[in-house]
Amino acid sequence: MNEQTGTKVLSVFDTDRPEIEHFDVLIVGAGISGIGSAARLIRDCPWARFVMLDALDGHGGTWRSNSFPGARSDSDLFTYAYSFKPWEGPPIARRDAILQYLGDVIDDYGLQKHIRYGHKILRAMWSSTQSCWFVSVQTDRQEVVTIKANFLWMCQGYYRHLDGYTPDWPGMKDYTGDIVHPQRWPKDHNYAGKQIVVIGSGATAATLVPALSEAAAHVVQLQRSPSYYFASPNEHPLATQLRQLDLPKEWIHEILRQQLLKEHNAWVRHSLDNPEVATKEMLDGVRNALGGILPDDFVPNYKPWQQRVCMIPDGDFFNAINSGKASVITGEIDRFTTAGILLKSGKLLEADLVVTATGFNVNAFGDIQIAKDGVAFDMAQTITYRGLMFTDVPNLAWVAGYFRSAAYTVRAELVGDLVCKMLNFMRAKGFKSITPKLQDEERSMKLGSVLDTEEWNPGYGMRGAELLPKSGDRQPWRHSQDYWADRVDFEALEFNQEPLAFK
C-alpha cells in the first residue's frame, strides 16, 4: 500500500507487450515550456529518444486554448520568449504572433516529428522492476495505447486549458443572454453592437475590455475589488536604440532580456519592501492615464504584487474608458436576472453578453493519475524538490514558472538546463532512476503551499493551494521565486551532494 494514501489502483498496463513504444523521455504538453524543453533535449541530450504529447489539436498550450478577443501576453516577450530564439516584435504581443513564434521554433529544431497532438494522457504508472513509466494515452481516434518512457517531463502548465473557473451565481439559468468564459470563446462569436459585462479584474479582463469595446455598444468591467495597472508604450526605448545599430539580433535579445529581468526584479522588490511608496507610484500612473482623476474603482485594497499587476500596452484599457466605450464598476453580484446582473447594491447591469473572466482551475498534473507499482500517489501530499521534482516520485520533473518575479519561460529554461544535466549525469553513471528523499531531520520541518500564499494570493492560488504539492521551509524543499538565486544554485548543483536516491 502507498505510505501517503494507502489507495490501490488497478493496473491497465500489459508491460510485456513487445509493440509498446519505448522512449527515453516523454514530454507532456506542446506549449511554451514543452517546446522549449524539447529544443533543449535536441541541443544538450542528442542521444535521447523522445516524444511530446498534447491533448489539444495543435501547438501553443495557453495560446491555443485562449482565443478570446485581444488575447496577448502579460509579460514582455524579451523575457517570455526563449533565450535561444530572439524576439523581434513589440514587448507585449498578441496570441497569433506568439503562436507563430512557437511554430518557428518547432521548425527550427525539427520538433514536428516528435509531437503527437490529440493525445491525452490518462494515467502514468512507475514500474519499480523495470525502472520506467508506463503511460496510458487516449488518442484523437479514441483509442487507448500504452507508451513506455524512462523519464516523464511534465510541461502542461498548472491549470485546465478548456475548463475555466466560473462561480455558480444564483439565477444564471434564468439569464437570456450569452455567458462565455474566455477559455471557451466561441469561434466567430458576434458581439458587435451588444451591451457586454466582463466579470473580473485581472489581466484577462484588462485585455478583453479594450478589445471588445472596439465593436460593442458598451463594455462594463464588473469587479469585486480593484487591481493594480501599469500603462506604458508598447515599445522599449533600449530595443528601439539597439535595433538602429548594426548588431546581431541575438545580442540585442540577450541585452534586453537581462536588462528587463533586472528592472522587473527591482520593481517587485521595491514594491514588497516599500509598499506605501510603490502604491502611490502606481496609482499616480493610473491617475495620469485617466486624465488626472482617480476613482475608488482603481484603488486596490491589497499591497502591490500580492497579485500580478495588469500590464496595459499603449494605454488601451484606459483609452477605452476615457472614450466612453467602457466603464468600471465595483460591486458584488446578488444574482442573475433574465436581463442581466443584479448587484447587492440594488443596481441592475443589463447585458446581452456576460464574459466570466473569473480565472482558471488549478490542475498541476493535467488530471493524470500518477501511480507507482499499482498504487496511486497523492501528489498534494508530496514535497517539492527545488520546485521541479517531488518526494518519493522517481524520474518525474514538473515545469512551473515564476508567479511574479520573472516571466514563466525564464524558470522553464532553468529547469530545462537542470533536467538535461540530470539526464546526462544518469546516463554517464548508468543510473536508471532518481528520486528525491527527505532526510530524517527534515521530516518535521514546517510545510506550506508551493504557491507561497502568504505573500502571493491571487484567486486561483487560494482556490487551488490544497491541490498542489507542499513546500518546505528550507532549501532544497522550496519552490523559490528568486530567479537570480535559482540561476546560481542550479548551475552549481552537484547531484551526488543532493538528497537524491539513485538506482
Side-chain angles (χ1 to χ4, degrees), residues 223-439:
Q223 60 185 16
R224 189 169 51 188
S225 62
S227 293
Y228 286 100
Y229 299 95
F230 182 77
S232 65
N234 197 17
E235 63 175 331
H236 195 285
L238 182 58
T240 302
Q241 183 179 4
L242 291 175
R243 285 167 176 168
Q244 292 173 347
L245 304 176
D246 188 19
L247 294 175
K249 57 187 179 181
E250 290 81 8
W251 291 14
I252 295 173
H253 183 70
E254 184 59 21
I255 290 170
L256 289 165
R257 187 178 176 86
Q258 294 303 316
Q259 173 73 12
L260 287 165
L261 280 169
K262 289 185 179 294
E263 286 180 356
H264 184 79
N265 184 68
W267 181 23
V268 174
R269 193 71 265 158
H270 166 64
S271 298
L272 296 177
D273 293 342
N274 308 283
E276 292 183 1
V277 176
T279 295
K280 182 181 184 304
E281 292 169 346
M282 286 197 219
L283 294 185
D284 283 348
V286 173
R287 182 183 289 107
N288 291 336
L290 291 173
I293 61 173
L294 183 64
D296 290 342
D297 297 306
F298 293 89
V299 181
N301 57 10
Y302 58 91
K303 297 176 183 179
W305 287 108
Q306 283 187 313
Q307 299 183 25
R308 286 187 73 90
V309 173
C310 299
M311 310 303 290
I312 310 297
D314 294 328
D316 60 1
F317 174 74
F318 297 112
N319 294 338
I321 293 170
N322 292 333
S323 70
K325 293 283 291 180
S327 56
V328 176
I329 293 177
T330 304
E332 293 189 46
I333 295 174
D334 180 73
R335 58 186 172 87
F336 276 64
T337 71
T338 57
I341 299 173
L342 180 66
L343 303 183
K344 290 184 178 179
S345 65
K347 184 178 181 62
L348 176 65
L349 301 179
E350 294 187 353
D352 306 304
L353 168 65
V354 172
V355 182
T356 56
T358 43
F360 53 78
N361 289 307
V362 170
N363 178 31
F365 300 100
D367 288 327
I368 299 169
Q369 185 182 54
I370 300 174
K372 179 181 178 181
D373 300 327
V375 180
F377 276 109
D378 182 354
M379 296 300 290
Q381 298 306 311
T382 64
I383 302 170
T384 182
Y385 164 76
R386 297 193 181 277
L388 66 117
M389 298 184 78
F390 307 95
T391 48
D392 300 321
V393 184
N395 288 25
L396 183 149
W398 177 59
V399 176
Y402 296 111
F403 303 124
R404 64 182 173 202
S405 63
Y408 191 95
T409 318
V410 174
R411 191 170 197 282
E413 291 197 318
L414 288 181
V415 171
D417 289 340
L418 187 59
V419 170
C420 287
K421 179 180 176 181
M422 182 186 300
L423 292 171
N424 283 326
F425 175 83
M426 293 173 64
R427 178 178 169 85
K429 298 293 186 180
F431 294 132
K432 293 184 177 180
S433 69
I434 176 173
T435 309
K437 292 283 187 180
L438 286 178
Q439 306 300 299

Side-chain angles (χ1 to χ4, degrees), residues 78-148:
F78 299 112
T79 55
Y80 186 78
Y82 303 119
S83 60
F84 56 83
K85 176 73 171 177
W87 178 257
E88 300 179 68
I92 302 298
R94 290 289 181 95
R95 169 183 183 262
D96 290 348
I98 297 173
L99 282 173
Q100 180 62 55
Y101 173 85
L102 294 175
D104 290 344
V105 174
I106 289 173
D107 292 340
D108 292 347
Y109 285 82
L111 299 180
Q112 198 64 262
K113 63 185 178 184
H114 298 279
I115 305 175
R116 300 177 188 180
Y117 300 117
H119 280 56
K120 178 179 175 58
I121 298 178
L122 305 175
R123 182 181 300 172
M125 187 179 74
W126 175 259
S127 167
S128 296
T129 57
Q130 298 196 39
S131 294
C132 67
W133 291 96
F134 286 87
V135 182
S136 177
V137 183
Q138 182 175 312
T139 73
D140 50 4
R141 297 181 178 179
Q142 302 304 305
E143 300 171 338
V144 176
V145 300
T146 300
I147 293 177
K148 184 178 178 180

Side-chain angles (χ1 to χ4, degrees), residues 453-468:
T453 51
E454 289 186 6
E455 290 190 8
W456 174 249
N457 56 11
Y460 67 84
M462 302 301 287
R463 291 193 305 272
E466 295 303 314
L467 304 176
L468 297 174

